[in-house]
Amino acid sequence: FGTGSFRFDASIYFNSILSFNVIYANRSTNQFVVDYKSGTTELRTIINGAVPAVTWSPSVKTWYDLSIIRHNGSISFFVNGSQTGGTQLSTDSISAEISPYVGGDPVDGRWFDGLIDEVRVGSDSVNIQPDVNYNIYTLTYLTPNNANKMLQFQTTGSHTEGNKSYCLFNATTT
């Protein structure tokens, strides 16, 4: 990602709400983490040490569509198509290295108790246009040769931690 524009999308469903609920973690040189911290009721990103966050109180047994968008040095959070909190400054660099975890962070031993679907992470040149049907941004991700670029996740197995099982994913760019 570097310091450029990006978009993170996922649909999530909490079975229970833990202290730290890690939705996505990229533990590369310059980290990028998306989580929900219940003690402070914050939906957060951790971007190379900086922590943009908004106040949010999800319920269990409910599906939520999340989008986190950074464009022109500002980051915005969206839940079910509506912006949550204000736009915040975000200029920290994120490494282009790919070492993502979906649904947990084994480095910190924090997990997500629930379901996660339709995870998408996009970067490079971003064309943002309003989407009249969903009241959020529609983005087209373009590489310099105008080919779409996005991370896709495919299940490669499972991992058991205590009495919980997690799917392992392989990330590829398209």
Side-chain angles (χ1 to χ4, degrees):
F1 301 144
T3 58
S5 299
F6 72 86
R7 178 173 177 163
F8 169 86
D9 295 296
S11 295
I12 65 170
Y13 178 96
F14 292 92
N15 285 328
S16 67
I17 299 176
L18 309 172
S19 296
F20 291 90
N21 304 268
V22 177
I23 299 160
Y24 176 90
N26 182 356
R27 289 299 187 166
S28 55
T29 305
N30 297 327
Q31 70 178 348
F32 173 62
V33 176
V34 176
D35 71 5
Y36 175 72
K37 185 176 178 185
S38 65
T40 56
T41 64
E42 290 178 320
L43 176 60
R44 324 179 304 166
T45 63
I46 302 170
I47 302 174
N48 197 22
V51 187
V54 294
T55 301
W56 179 51
S57 296
S59 299
V60 296
K61 312 282 188 230
T62 303
W63 278 102
Y64 296 98
D65 292 320
L66 302 181
S67 292
I68 300 170
I69 299 168
R70 180 167 73 183
H71 184 65
N72 291 335
S74 295
I75 195 163
S76 301
F77 296 78
F78 295 84
V79 177
N80 293 338
S82 297
Q83 186 169 352
T84 302
T87 300
Q88 301 173 41
L89 181 65
S90 174
T91 58
D92 293 286
S93 183
I94 301 171
S95 178
E97 298 169 28
I98 300 172
S99 56
Y101 299 95
V102 176
D105 184 352
V107 174
D108 288 341
R110 295 176 175 160
W111 307 98
F112 182 88
D113 182 18
L115 304 172
I116 301 174
D117 194 15
E118 299 182 23
V119 176
R120 295 176 293 186
V121 183
S123 65
D124 284 330
S125 299
V126 181
N127 178 21
I128 298 179
Q129 298 181 10
D131 182 336
V132 295
N133 296 320
Y134 209 124
N135 191 29
I136 60 173
Y137 297 112
T138 298
L139 287 87
T140 303
Y141 305 98
L142 301 173
T143 60
N145 63 1
N146 291 331
N148 288 333
K149 183 175 182 181
M150 185 173 284
L151 287 178
Q152 292 185 336
F153 297 91
Q154 294 179 324
T155 304
T156 59
S158 63
H159 169 74
T160 301
E161 186 77 28
N163 64 352
K164 305 254 186 215
S165 294
Y166 303 91
C167 288
L168 302 177
F169 294 90
N170 181 31
T172 57
T173 57
T174 60

